[in-house]
Amino acid sequence: MQQGSGRRAKISKNVESINAMRKFEAGTHKISNTATAQMEKRPRRQRRKQKKNRLWIHKINRKRPEFGIFHHLHPDLRKDERKFYSFFRMSEELFSILLDLVGQEISKQDTNYRKSITAEERLSICLRYLITGHSFTSLTFYYRVGLSTIHEIVKETTQALCNALQPRYMAVPSTDEWTKIAQDYNALAA
């Protein structure tokens, strides 16, 4: 109960300060001492201390090479074709073909601060999402990659797959093909 009342007190103080600022801007200078104290800017050092320290790579995700599903399961799956097919719903050969098609587009460069996620791992994450429909959160823990990183990987990799596969398998029909389609449709409609 006290937390709720504490929140209400904070909200009412914020409303008071907003109202005080509006009165100040309107030209009526009857501002209370608490409102002026709230309007004062805090020194930069105090503001920095109040910010939540965020990590570039979370502690859990730093152990990706040791405990991530890709680094442990993927090499074993490559040894057993049936298990590989069961996990990815495609043969290892087809996986390699897809990797060749989109590998350059989805690969990232290593930096001095961290190693990038390989194109093979990116494709694995994206395919696992498309195959199973697991949430991004569950993929985060399976692959030990950040949530926003999973989101970007899936978005970029699906776009790369569409760019590579669409011209081959969903090509825009030529004029002759459109004419034949129209004739077949007209024959059905008559």
Side-chain angles (χ1 to χ4, degrees), residues 39-147:
M39 288 173 34
E40 289 179 359
K41 288 187 175 181
R42 294 182 305 253
R44 256 190 202 167
R45 289 181 184 170
Q46 286 179 353
R47 280 185 275 157
R48 282 188 201 149
K49 287 180 184 177
Q50 287 181 345
K51 285 184 181 179
K52 185 179 177 183
N53 290 338
R54 296 191 62 187
L55 302 171
W56 192 6
I57 300 173
H58 196 275
K59 294 173 191 174
I60 292 173
N61 297 340
R62 286 186 186 152
K63 297 179 181 179
R64 180 168 42 99
E66 295 117 38
F67 300 114
I69 195 171
F70 179 79
H71 296 283
H72 285 285
L73 188 59
H74 197 74
D76 294 337
L77 290 174
R78 284 207 175 255
K79 295 174 187 172
D80 188 349
E81 192 173 320
R82 286 186 329 175
K83 293 291 184 185
F84 190 93
Y85 188 88
S86 176
F87 191 76
F88 286 112
R89 311 288 199 276
M90 66 178 64
S91 66
E92 185 182 349
E93 180 183 351
L94 184 55
F95 183 88
S96 297
I97 290 170
L98 285 176
L99 186 60
D100 289 341
L101 285 173
V102 299
Q104 289 288 7
E105 194 173 341
I106 63 173
S107 64
K108 302 291 180 184
Q109 194 172 25
D110 289 345
T111 66
N112 292 334
Y113 302 105
R114 61 171 173 77
K115 291 185 84 63
S116 65
I117 299 169
T118 63
E120 188 175 16
E121 188 171 0
R122 288 172 170 273
L123 182 60
S124 172
I125 290 169
C126 181
L127 290 176
R128 196 69 190 147
Y129 170 73
L130 295 173
I131 291 164
T132 62
H134 282 173
S135 68
F136 287 167
T137 306
S138 65
L139 290 173
T140 294
F141 292 112
Y142 291 151
Y143 284 93
R144 299 219 179 205
V145 177
L147 184 63

Side-chain angles (χ1 to χ4, degrees), residues 17-31 39:
S17 63
I18 290 170
N19 289 336
M21 290 174 67
R22 286 181 183 157
K23 287 178 184 177
F24 182 77
E25 289 172 354
T28 55
H29 298 313
K30 293 183 179 179
I31 300 174
M39 288 173 34

Side-chain angles (χ1 to χ4, degrees), residues 160-171:
L161 287 168
C162 286
N163 293 343
L165 298 176
Q166 190 267 335
R168 293 177 187 212
Y169 297 104
M170 294 179 64

